[in-house]
Amino acid sequence: MKKLLIISGSIVFVLLTLVMIAEAARPKQPDFTPYYTPSGKKPIDLLVFNEQADSLFKGSKIERISADANVVVDSVYFKKEYSPDPANCYLRISGGAISLFDEEEASASLLSFVSEGNTAVLCMNVLSQTISDSIGVQIVSLYNDKPKPTVVYTTKKPKEKVSLLKGSINSEIILKNNDSTHVLGYQNLNGRVTPSLIEVKYGYGRFIISNHPEVFSNYYLLQGQNYKYVEALASAIPQGTIYWQTGIGSIQDNSRGLIDSFLKEPAFRSFWYLGLLTLVLFAFFNARRKQRIVPVIPPVQNSTVDFTRTIGNLYHQEGNNDDIIDKKIIYFLEGIRREYFIDTYNLNNEFVDKLHAKTGKSKEDIYTAVELIKRHRQNLGSSEADLLAINNAIEKLRL
């Protein structure tokens, strides 16, 4: 058996070493998961945009706030220098299948913020139902479409274009109210041309909506002339204070658990699974060798029932019914005082009402038990029938 364990362990160790060498030599594939973290260095993160934001929005002041939408809007309202005008702008860049405004409170706060004369720039794949119904715009994800390149471009001349494929989610903007909507850019998906960048008037303010937040990511900003598309979008935002909401509503890479982060690396994942296999084999062979007969342990007998039955028989044989009833009454009233904190000195109508209110038992049953107790205290020399009656009355209450 010992020789078999040594051979098995050696084989597993050699296999583990070969797998780790192969995984380490294999070129690492980039992670195109849409995280959209301002400090992230992965392809679909916003580190480049974050570093160039001050120069991109020249003449504007950028405040980065990591909070939910209603918190961001409230923080703007409570600033002493706040005045509703288009110079105040709310910016959000978020991707994936997570909607930032999935809470009614956050959606209502943003709608109120825009209606008072401010601007909201939303670059995301999903809008909440509240915002969609209010501004007449809906973003529909096309999950069934094959991942073919989507070309987005502006209406300005010269047209600025970006070809999207990796890290992109196919979607379309559907306009329900064309009167208050101005199209700033389009997309071409499989030959179908639909709006991709729009401006929607709402109250005294406006929404600027793009369904392709990935154009702001590290991967696309560093390719060719793609940055000009972002510059064209930024030119639609007036100079002033831009409140950029960061960190809430995106898929956060740092939110992964320890095991998830460990299993994300192929070499560590192989090590984990082979280690588990080794542990199972060791437990299997070791258990077969050391298995012993499990002793039969008899269950502990409940002697309380036998003791109670013995004491009951003694009282019954003695024939002292008064003594048995007295002890039954004492135990019953003591339980009421301890469990329900009711005074049992006077067994009157007030006592019946309190016990009924706290226990929910029938008033008739409580009154019957009280009358039997009073009758016993007034008349000594109870019979076995009296003992049976008062016992049944107390047991019926089950306190």
Side-chain angles (χ1 to χ4, degrees), residues 47 92 110 121 231 269 389:
L47 177 63
R92 179 58 193 166
L110 187 66
V121 180
E231 288 180 346
R269 185 169 60 249

Side-chain angles (χ1 to χ4, degrees), residues 216-327:
F216 296 88
S217 66
N218 302 333
Y219 179 77
Y220 290 104
L221 278 180
L222 295 177
Q223 284 189 352
Q225 304 294 315
N226 290 345
Y227 67 92
K228 292 185 178 181
Y229 180 90
V230 178
E231 288 180 346
L233 190 153
S235 64
I237 303 174
Q239 293 184 354
T241 303
I242 298 176
Y243 299 93
W244 179 16
Q245 182 180 1
T246 62
I248 304 296
S250 296
I251 303 175
Q252 297 294 322
D253 186 33
N254 54 11
S255 65
R256 298 171 64 90
L258 179 61
I259 298 298
D260 290 338
S261 300
F262 186 81
L263 294 179
K264 184 181 176 182
E265 299 298 330
F268 287 126
R269 185 169 60 249
S270 301
F271 171 79
W272 177 266
Y273 291 142
L274 285 175
L276 289 178
L277 178 61
T278 305
L279 190 62
V280 170
L281 291 175
F282 174 79
F284 175 74
F285 289 109
N286 208 38
R288 290 188 61 184
R289 180 181 180 183
K290 294 186 176 181
Q291 186 174 7
R292 295 183 178 88
I293 299 176
V294 179
V296 178
I297 302 177
V300 179
Q301 295 183 353
N302 187 357
S303 59
T304 305
V305 177
D306 296 334
F307 175 77
T308 305
R309 184 180 293 108
T310 302
I311 297 299
N313 291 333
L314 290 176
Y315 273 97
H316 182 70
Q317 292 175 3
E318 189 176 343
N320 192 343
N321 297 324
D322 290 329
D323 191 17
I324 298 176
I325 294 176
D326 287 338
K327 287 180 171 53

Side-chain angles (χ1 to χ4, degrees), residues 84 203 240 255 303 348-349 361:
S255 65
S303 59
N348 49 22
N349 292 333
K361 300 296 182 179

Side-chain angles (χ1 to χ4, degrees), residues 36-40 45-57 62-64 91 93 216-218 221 230 244 246:
Y36 293 101
T37 51
S39 59
D45 274 328
L46 303 175
L47 177 63
V48 176
F49 175 78
N50 187 23
E51 293 177 346
Q52 301 299 323
D54 293 326
S55 60
L56 181 64
F57 300 100
I62 301 177
E63 290 193 16
R64 297 164 175 82
L91 172 64
I93 304 173
F216 296 88
S217 66
N218 302 333
L221 278 180
V230 178
W244 179 16
T246 62

Side-chain angles (χ1 to χ4, degrees), residues 328-336 355 373 394 397 399:
K328 189 74 176 179
I329 293 173
I330 291 172
Y331 178 77
F332 172 66
L333 298 179
E334 173 62 23
I336 294 176
L355 189 59
I373 292 174
I394 292 176
L397 294 178
L399 300 178

Side-chain angles (χ1 to χ4, degrees), residues 22-30 266:
E23 292 289 349
R26 190 175 64 177
K28 190 175 181 180
Q29 298 297 325

